[in-house]
Amino acid sequence: MGQFIQQLINGLTLGSVYGLIALGYTMVYGIIGMINFAHGDIYMVAAIISVTVITLLAALGISAVPLALMVTLLVVMAFTAVYGWSVERVAYRPLRTAPRLAPLISAIGMSIFLQNMVQLTQGARVKPIADMMPGQFNLFTFDGFTVFLSYTQLMIIVVTVVLLAIFTYIITRTSFGRQQRACEQDQTMTALLGVNVDRTISLTFMLGAALAAIAGVMVTIYYGVVDFAIGFVAGLKAFTAAVLGGIGSLPGAVLGGLIIGMLESFWSAYYSPEYKDVAGFALLILVLMFRPSGLLGRPEVEKV
Amino acid sequence: MLQYTDVHAHYGAIHALRGVTLDVQEGEIVTLIGANGAGKSTLMNTLFGKPRASAGSISFLGQDISRHHTHDIARSGLALVPEGRHIFARMSVLENLQMGSIFSDPAHFDADLQRIYGMFPILQQRLEQRAGTLSGGEQQMLAIGRALMSRPKVLLLDEPSLGLAPLYIKQVFNIIRELNERDGMTIMLVEQNAHHALRIAHRGYVLQHGEIVLSGTGKELLASPEVRAAYLESSAHA
Ligand SMILES: Nc1ncnc2c1ncn2[C@@H]1O[C@H](COP(=O)(O)OP(=O)(O)OP(=O)(O)O)[C@@H](O)[C@H]1O
Ligand SMILES: [Mg+2]
């Protein structure tokens, strides 16, 4: 029982990270109807930059955790927003009227480029940092097994819930959110109503990148190690989460992330760590067989 | 107010507008008639740079706008109700109307909304409904309402009566006339329904294969033998 609850907490944390990355996928999909395949690598870039920033702050003697955390988040988000903007400019905008496959291929190209750039400039070795927020709540002891929730885990779960709430509000309630949804449905008409479509799409990519940045910082603090290859697997998992939850749906992205995170956590604990990835993808296939638009996705029936 | 001077437009190799010159004065209803494929929609869309004029100039309030961005042209006070309505199907009726007021002063949003409700009471009853589930006629009203939310200086309507039942058609024409007479709104109207359109228009132009072949007041065109033969025969007794 103690073991079970501990796995639940670990799964929630891992799932929150997947959910955060999946939010970025789903938001970009929600505006241009395309998957940003470089999104996982933007997350990786964010994690790498955060190692530098955290190390630098420590060297400068800034040790107050809230201050260090805020500065790290702001710096990393600013950098990765620029990366998100560039991905859109280089890989998507020139291909806006091309067949749908073309921008996917150019985005995969961006992804390979980002991985190699980081490998070349930062080296292929794993980068460690010291634990920024040591400490944990010991929740209860059951059969001699103490269930804990670390400060970092709590932070990751709370941040995910708060960001989900904020972005849901932006997209469903604000003028900017309506402009985003309008761009997805009919770009020409949106421009005819006075909306700067290029700017709206750029901003969406930057916001998506900022979300990946937050996930990258969280993961760096949680695991304490980062390398240039983490983006590929995390990106794939988060993409699975977004599709599982229903691509285009923000709550769906987080729900999908949580399900995959828990599945992996329980699968590793009770069965075998080796096949945990297979479990996630198998579940995706199963769900899509019965609900092709994902758990919370909108069914594609429309009268226009 | 609005002036096209020797405007050409292309779609690839298709030469859709071949040197169109026309003008719309403040407070007028100007109608554009022509057969299918004559270039009427193209004429309106080039005003917004979709497609861009390949030669010639288009000026609005004395300023050449033919190289401006589409969104800047819209913001300068021109609103298009495009052929086929183009409402946002997956948004509510209210959200569609809000999209129409993106760049207008939020202070008069409520007043503008009330004005639209007055014109199209059905929209008020359907505020929360997804626009894609409205009937064709209701969608047309929504498209007109959305365009009016920006308080345009010139309203451009591309076949607003297309696909509507006779009762709705009458309502749409009444609203066009009312907007012009009561609010002094300048209107450019493209219509298949040439008879109705020429009756409410101050002036009209006849477009054929991308060229203006005839122009005059609404009355003159209604009486012209060419127009009667080509565009009014079937509806002369309507
Ligand atoms: N997007 C496009 N791509 C290629 N050709 C186009 C495009 N839009 C219009 N055309 C061509 O340009 C010409 C003028 O079309 P346009 O839509 O302006 O005609 P119209 O007068 O509005 O006709 P209708 O009364 O049927 O609406 C036509 O020959 C049409 O086939
Ligand atoms: Mg047309």
Side-chain angles (χ1 to χ4, degrees):
Chain A
M1 187 62 196
Q3 157 89 339
F4 179 84
I5 301 204
Q6 188 61 62
Q7 288 311 326
L8 194 71
I9 292 174
N10 295 349
L12 272 178
T13 312
L14 182 61
S16 295
V17 172
Y18 291 154
L20 270 184
I21 308 175
L23 274 179
Y25 272 117
T26 239
M27 200 167 63
V28 167
Y29 183 87
I31 188 168
I32 54 169
M34 272 184 253
I35 303 293
N36 175 9
F37 270 111
H39 190 62
D41 299 287
I42 294 210
Y43 153 83
M44 175 274 295
V45 168
I48 297 275
I49 299 175
S50 70
V51 170
T52 312
V53 177
I54 290 171
T55 311
L56 206 67
L57 287 176
L60 289 173
I62 298 174
S63 57
V65 173
L67 178 66
L69 191 63
M70 280 317 284
V71 173
T72 308
L73 276 175
L74 286 179
V75 172
V76 175
M77 280 163 74
F79 268 103
T80 41
V82 175
Y83 278 96
W85 180 85
S86 324
V87 167
E88 197 268 330
R89 267 299 162 97
V90 174
Y92 283 92
R93 189 174 301 183
L95 297 171
R96 194 144 328 141
T97 53
R100 291 171 77 82
L101 204 54
L104 284 191
I105 295 170
S106 73
I108 292 171
M110 271 314 266
S111 155
I112 296 171
F113 168 77
L114 286 177
Q115 281 180 43
N116 283 282
M117 183 187 75
V118 171
Q119 189 179 357
L120 278 175
T121 56
Q122 303 284 314
R125 268 182 303 132
V126 166
K127 301 198 174 308
I129 59 156
D131 193 350
M132 205 174 166
M133 301 201 338
Q136 62 189 45
F137 300 104
N138 288 322
L139 298 180
F140 55 88
T141 304
F142 197 91
D143 283 349
F145 188 101
T146 303
V147 175
F148 70 89
L149 172 67
S150 74
Y151 295 163
T152 310
Q153 287 180 320
L154 180 65
M155 171 182 75
I156 290 178
I157 294 168
V158 169
V159 162
T160 302
V161 171
V162 169
L163 284 174
L164 171 63
I166 292 176
F167 276 86
T168 303
Y169 177 81
I170 292 178
I171 290 193
T172 58
R173 290 289 132 83
T174 66
S175 173
F176 178 68
R178 276 192 295 277
Q179 293 174 40
Q180 284 182 308
R181 284 180 287 142
C183 284
E184 191 253 339
Q185 295 184 35
D186 190 334
Q187 285 186 14
T188 303
M189 191 63 231
T190 306
L192 287 175
L193 293 171
V195 175
N196 186 339
V197 171
D198 283 342
R199 198 176 127 255
T200 309
I201 292 180
S202 281
L203 271 171
T204 304
F205 268 84
M206 291 166 79
L207 283 175
L211 279 170
I214 297 172
V217 173
M218 297 291 139
V219 153
T220 306
I221 298 173
Y222 188 39
Y223 291 122
V225 289
V226 166
D227 67 48
F228 74 94
I230 60 167
F232 180 71
V233 180
L236 208 57
K237 299 273 178 63
F239 172 58
T240 308
V243 176
L244 181 67
I247 189 91
S249 155
L250 299 185
V254 172
L255 178 68
L258 291 180
I259 291 176
I260 302 244
M262 306 254 234
L263 187 69
E264 283 190 4
S265 160
F266 283 115
W267 192 278
S268 319
Y270 290 105
Y271 191 60
S272 116
E274 272 122 58
Y275 289 106
K276 67 175 171 36
D277 297 350
V278 177
F281 298 133
L283 179 71
L284 174 71
I285 292 171
L286 213 69
V287 168
L288 290 187
M289 268 162 56
F290 295 102
R291 282 191 64 92
S293 48
L295 293 172
L296 303 182
R298 53 157 204 265
E300 289 289 341
V301 278
E302 214 101 81
K303 162 179 154 199
V304 182
Chain B
M1 188 167 207
L2 194 60
Q3 171 79 47
Y4 285 66
T5 311
D6 196 25
V7 172
H8 290 256
H10 291 82
Y11 296 104
I14 299 171
H15 197 170
L17 294 182
R18 302 160 181 263
V20 170
T21 297
L22 64 76
D23 65 282
V24 178
Q25 299 301 322
E26 188 163 3
E28 274 190 320
I29 300 182
V30 171
T31 188
L32 200 63
I33 57 179
N36 292 125
K40 306 182 296 295
S41 299
T42 306
L43 186 76
M44 284 196 165
N45 295 338
T46 25
L47 177 60
F48 291 89
K50 293 195 177 272
R52 290 226 170 268
S54 42
S57 78
I58 304 176
S59 73
F60 176 52
L61 299 173
Q63 206 188 6
D64 186 354
I65 57 167
S66 54
R67 292 279 155 256
H68 289 192
H69 290 295
T70 302
H71 56 266
D72 289 330
I73 297 171
R75 282 165 185 245
S76 70
L78 297 163
L80 174 65
V81 179
E83 189 174 356
R85 309 186 277 262
H86 289 267
I87 52 147
F88 299 109
R90 289 191 295 277
M91 288 191 190
S92 71
V93 168
L94 178 62
E95 287 179 320
N96 268 276
L97 293 174
Q98 287 170 322
M99 281 303 298
S101 64
I102 290 281
F103 59 88
S104 40
D105 184 351
H108 48 67
F109 177 77
D110 287 326
D112 290 344
L113 209 54
Q114 291 304 326
R115 206 164 67 98
I116 306 296
Y117 294 162
M119 272 181 253
F120 308 109
I122 188 77
L123 295 182
Q124 186 170 15
Q125 294 162 28
R126 302 298 173 84
L127 275 188
E128 297 305 323
Q129 188 173 328
R130 272 160 55 108
T133 63
L134 293 175
S135 81
E138 290 162 354
Q139 292 189 7
Q140 187 65 60
M141 294 180 202
L142 178 57
I144 298 174
R146 180 180 61 185
L148 291 174
M149 284 300 285
S150 67
R151 298 195 169 185
K153 298 191 184 84
V154 180
L155 177 66
L156 298 111
L157 298 154
D158 194 347
E159 304 206 17
S161 74
L162 190 69
L164 298 191
L167 188 72
Y168 277 140
I169 296 185
K170 223 176 135 209
Q171 195 185 344
V172 165
F173 278 101
N174 282 340
I175 280 166
I176 294 170
R177 196 202 303 254
E178 209 176 283
L179 279 170
N180 176 255
E181 284 175 2
R182 200 192 52 201
D183 306 339
M185 185 170 286
T186 309
I187 292 170
M188 187 160 159
L189 173 67
V190 164
E191 259 303 328
Q192 291 286 329
N193 209 319
H195 188 75
H196 272 302
L198 288 173
R199 272 216 313 221
I200 64 166
H202 299 102
R203 290 188 302 121
Y205 291 91
V206 179
L207 196 65
Q208 208 175 68
H209 302 306
E211 284 173 286
I212 303 279
V213 291
L214 209 60
S215 68
T217 65
K219 276 206 189 73
E220 284 165 8
L221 290 179
L222 268 176
S224 131
E226 292 101 315
V227 172
R228 294 188 75 86
Y231 307 105
L232 294 176
E233 274 310 77
S234 56
S235 61
H237 310 290

